[in-house]
Amino acid sequence: MTPPDFSQPVAGPTYGRFFRVLATVMLVAVLAMAARATLSLPDDAAAAQGYWLLGIGLLALAASYWVLLRATTTIDAVGIRQSGMTEKKVQWQQVRSARLFGPPFARRLMVRTANGRFHFFFGGSPELLDAFARIAKAYRT
């Protein structure tokens, strides 16, 4: 199977607007609950451990949120790449099949590679979703 022509790279946000808005609403809700919990923690030395755990949890949540907002998916002549906590990438010669699925607000491309592993790539822009459809059509099994 030959991949579609991507001599002009297609790139965009990994997650769509709905997903990012939902993540923002959830982050604000968690921050509000954390503020409320902080105000109800006692001021003794034993409570200091609770503050540390709360702080570490909020930092991890903020880092995940930042990555969700900044992640990008790129499709070019070499293959497919997706940034995030770790970068995922698949070269065209590794692809054996591809399928597009998921609800409209969270479409993803499932790619099966030569070694049998599955990779999932999210697309958050119309251009990426069109490119996903072209890939799925080219690698239909």
Side-chain angles (χ1 to χ4, degrees):
M1 289 179 245
T2 59
D5 178 34
F6 286 106
S7 53
Q8 290 291 92
V10 177
T14 297
Y15 301 100
R17 182 179 307 235
F18 177 81
F19 222 77
R20 294 188 310 246
V21 168
L22 182 63
T24 302
V25 168
M26 291 174 67
L27 177 70
V28 169
V30 168
L31 290 176
M33 288 188 292
R36 189 171 134 202
T38 301
L39 294 175
S40 67
L41 282 174
D43 289 332
D44 62 359
Q49 185 178 7
Y51 286 115
W52 278 103
L53 290 174
L54 181 64
I56 291 168
L58 289 176
L59 282 175
L61 180 65
S64 297
Y65 176 73
W66 179 253
V67 168
L68 182 134
L69 292 181
R70 305 290 296 167
T72 59
T73 301
T74 304
I75 303 169
D76 58 19
V78 176
I80 309 169
R81 290 186 316 279
Q82 183 174 302
S83 66
M85 291 279 187
T86 60
E87 185 179 54
K88 288 189 280 187
K89 55 184 163 183
V90 173
Q91 295 180 351
W92 293 122
Q93 63 266 24
Q94 297 173 310
V95 177
R96 292 300 170 256
S97 67
R99 184 175 152 216
L100 184 62
F101 68 100
F105 60 87
R107 299 295 280 176
R108 49 198 175 269
L109 180 70
M110 179 180 69
V111 175
R112 186 175 57 87
T113 59
N115 64 4
R117 292 188 61 203
F118 289 94
H119 298 271
F120 295 88
F121 296 95
F122 286 81
S125 71
E127 296 81 17
L128 279 173
L129 295 177
D130 289 343
F132 282 1
R134 288 173 45 206
I135 294 166
K137 185 177 179 183
Y139 287 99
R140 188 172 300 155
T141 57

